[in-house]
Amino acid sequence: MYDPLISAHPGGMSYPDSYWVDTAGEAPADDGPVQADIDVEVAIIGGGYTGLSSAYYLASEHNIDTVVLEANGTGWGCSGRNGGFALKAGGRLSYQKMIKRYGETMARRMFDEIFEGLDRVRGLIKDEQIDCDQQPDGHLWVAHRPRMMKAIHSEARFLKDLFNYDVDILCREELEKDHFNSDEAYGAMRFRDGFGVHPLKLAYGYHRLARAAGARVHTNSPVIEWRREGKRHLLVTPGGVVRANKVICATNGYTSQQLHSKLKNRSFPVLSNVVVTRPLTDTELAATNFVSSDVITDTRTLRFYYRKLPDNRILIGGRSAITGADASNPRHNDNLINALKTKFGALGDLTYDYQWGGWVCVTFDDVPHIHEAEQDSVFYAIGYGGSGVTFSVQAGMRLAEKVAGKTQGHDLPVLRTAAPKFPFAPFRRVGQRALYHYYFARDEKA
């Protein structure tokens, strides 16, 4: 598997054998691989949510000539591999920690920025009629141990007091009656915002919007070398050189350490695996009363995320291998299906039809960063921490504003500060392995 900490670039790879690829339909028309030298105002590296939304806003709102360079196919990276959870979230930093770090006023503005990101995705789907199997709103944060209900009640009070945001607290009986009957659910917080989508269909939708607005999207065009010629950037692809005045790096968790020196060691790619089961039988659906279409996460630090798909399969995902070399080890998928059976004992002989993995991007300070690697020349967005379905499009819009020089209101921490470098960067995975052991012991404590 492509490993951003080791591999030079991700070019020349096919889509994973995933449920999303199998059900997305035909990929949208693109501009093919780069086959000659190109001169352009803005080149975007990465054809996922961030790159495509940046291209869309640059072309449609700022009338800037833009080219997207995707190493493989549209949405090949995490945009086509994630669980399809559009959540009211951005990064991994909790709002309570956000207040301690930035103060109440700035934390409220960050809350509004994140909420705007969710509304932006919802609005694009509705206004542009993107067919992405959108499910009704609802996000369940499920207590996986009785003791976690205390944390759920505390978080509910905090959201109401600080942000005037209402959530619903469900006891175990209400959860069993209206959503599902689980052996590992002792109640839940239900956010009224957040919904499930088909993530690759959504990426295809953004692709079509970007091209309709006038941007060009070149697939199978990895950047294998990046050099300067005066003030211009020369992005070398197998088929030609793209000369650009400005460059956006929209590779997030798939950013190679060799792509640009100013991005090196500013992010940490973390693997997440996903399996999709065979369709549940009527008997299994009745035994679990799985009537909910809400997206679901549990209260573990190393959380599981799961939901029932429109064709009555269950998708479940969670953290997996430490390295790309270990990504194909079947034990990671076995862990997921065993976790699902623990949650739903009535599904004892359940099997899965699809499995795949992808890289989630984490920053050292646990918040996204939309910033400049080189002043008014190289821009990037990284660090969604598993919330990229929502926040990547907001980041794409903000990147377009930065490139166009329209940065009024860009004083939020995610917009005005560079992503910090990881200390002791070569040992990141050693620390990750140790933390996984610690979090697992804490999460599974009775």
Side-chain angles (χ1 to χ4, degrees):
M1 184 177 183
Y2 168 74
D3 190 329
L5 295 189
I6 298 173
S7 308
H9 63 78
M13 299 185 182
S14 59
Y15 285 108
D17 184 19
S18 73
Y19 174 80
W20 304 133
V21 172
D22 211 24
T23 58
E26 188 176 355
D30 58 47
D31 295 281
V34 172
Q35 294 183 331
D37 291 355
I38 296 173
D39 289 282
V40 68
E41 178 63 22
V42 178
I44 299 173
I45 305 173
Y49 298 149
T50 304
L52 294 169
S53 58
S54 295
Y56 168 68
Y57 287 112
L58 282 168
S60 64
E61 296 192 357
H62 305 292
N63 196 31
I64 293 177
D65 185 27
T66 303
V67 163
V68 176
L69 302 175
E70 164 55 43
N72 299 299
T74 290
W76 174 85
C78 210
S79 295
R81 298 171 188 250
N82 65 80
F85 286 48
L87 304 179
K88 185 190 65 59
R92 300 194 311 163
L93 191 68
S94 71
Y95 289 117
Q96 296 191 36
K97 291 181 179 179
M98 205 175 284
I99 286 175
K100 291 180 181 179
R101 184 183 295 178
Y102 303 122
E104 288 188 14
T105 299
M106 192 59 74
R108 288 192 178 97
R109 289 187 56 202
M110 292 276 281
F111 181 92
D112 292 341
E113 181 80 4
I114 288 168
F115 217 151
E116 182 180 323
L118 180 60
D119 281 344
R120 183 173 300 279
V121 173
R122 184 187 286 109
L124 284 174
I125 292 171
K126 179 181 178 182
D127 296 343
E128 304 299 337
Q129 298 182 328
I130 298 175
D131 178 13
C132 59
D133 301 341
Q134 182 181 6
Q135 294 181 283
D137 270 86
H139 168 208
L140 290 166
W141 187 39
V142 175
H144 77 287
R145 295 286 185 269
R147 61 185 168 84
M148 297 309 298
M149 283 304 295
K150 182 178 180 180
I152 280 177
H153 281 285
S154 175
E155 184 69 8
R157 290 192 298 269
F158 173 80
L159 289 171
K160 179 62 177 177
D161 292 345
L162 270 294
F163 303 110
N164 196 31
Y165 183 80
D166 290 310
V167 296
D168 301 311
I169 302 295
L170 306 179
C171 66
R172 185 168 191 165
E173 292 72 25
E174 291 171 315
L175 199 59
E176 291 175 354
K177 175 178 177 291
D178 298 327
H179 296 278
F180 54 78
N181 182 3
S182 170
D183 304 288
E184 197 184 67
Y186 297 89
M189 176 191 295
R190 186 175 188 269
F191 298 88
R192 301 168 192 177
D193 302 285
F195 50 89
V197 296
H198 189 302
L200 188 55
K201 285 185 178 181
L202 184 60
Y204 286 175
Y206 295 152
H207 174 118
R208 293 184 179 99
L209 289 181
R211 290 192 79 235
R216 288 164 284 170
V217 180
H218 290 282
T219 56
N220 297 300
S221 300
V223 175
I224 58 178
E225 184 184 354
W226 184 343
R227 60 178 186 265
R228 296 292 294 264
E229 185 181 77
K231 293 184 177 181
R232 306 206 77 188
H233 297 271
L234 274 60
L235 305 178
V236 181
T237 76
V241 177
V242 178
R243 295 181 175 86
N245 292 328
K246 300 180 181 182
V247 178
I248 291 176
C249 296
T251 45
N252 198 34
Y254 286 73
T255 304
S256 167
Q257 293 289 284
Q258 301 176 37
L259 181 63
H260 192 286
S261 61
K262 294 290 183 67
L263 292 178
K264 187 175 182 179
N265 296 330
R266 295 187 188 273
S267 62
F268 186 24
V270 177
L271 267 174
S272 185
N273 264 36
V274 179
V275 301
V276 172
T277 71
R278 59 164 171 77
L280 300 189
T281 65
D282 291 341
T283 301
E284 290 168 334
L285 288 169
T288 57
N289 194 38
F290 210 139
V291 296
S292 182
S293 62
D294 286 3
V295 294
I296 308 161
T297 55
D298 65 24
T299 48
R300 290 174 167 87
T301 303
L302 298 178
R303 69 182 184 178
F304 292 104
Y305 52 93
Y306 52 108
R307 65 185 178 104
K308 183 164 69 73
L309 300 174
D311 59 359
N312 290 330
R313 300 174 186 267
I314 299 180
L315 174 150
I316 183 168
R319 295 295 180 257
S320 63
I322 301 293
T323 67
D326 188 44
S328 60
N329 191 320
R331 68 184 177 90
H332 304 301
N333 302 317
D334 292 341
N335 288 341
L336 291 176
I337 204 70
N338 289 335
L340 193 59
K341 291 175 181 178
T342 299
K343 294 176 183 299
F344 301 98
L347 306 178
D349 65 344
L350 191 64
T351 57
Y352 59 87
D353 286 346
Y354 300 91
Q355 62 81 25
W356 66 93
W359 296 101
V360 175
C361 187
V362 175
T363 56
F364 182 66
D365 58 0
D366 288 332
V367 295
H369 289 269
I370 302 98
H371 200 59
E372 300 173 46
E374 295 181 14
Q375 186 174 7
D376 199 33
S377 179
V378 178
F379 306 80
Y380 65 88
I382 56 173
Y384 310 134
S387 305
V389 175
T390 299
F391 200 72
S392 60
V393 178
Q394 186 74 2
M397 181 273 293
R398 294 302 191 191
L399 281 168
E401 289 180 339
K402 284 183 178 292
V403 169
K406 299 180 180 180
T407 57
Q408 184 175 358
H410 278 220
D411 58 335
L412 289 172
V414 298
L415 297 170
R416 63 177 169 80
T417 60
K421 287 190 174 184
F422 276 81
F424 309 107
F427 303 100
R428 276 171 288 184
R429 286 179 168 166
V430 175
Q432 179 188 10
R433 196 179 301 274
L435 279 174
Y436 274 17
H437 286 294
Y438 168 69
Y439 289 146
F440 179 81
R442 188 177 66 178
D443 287 339
E444 303 313 319
K445 184 172 64 174

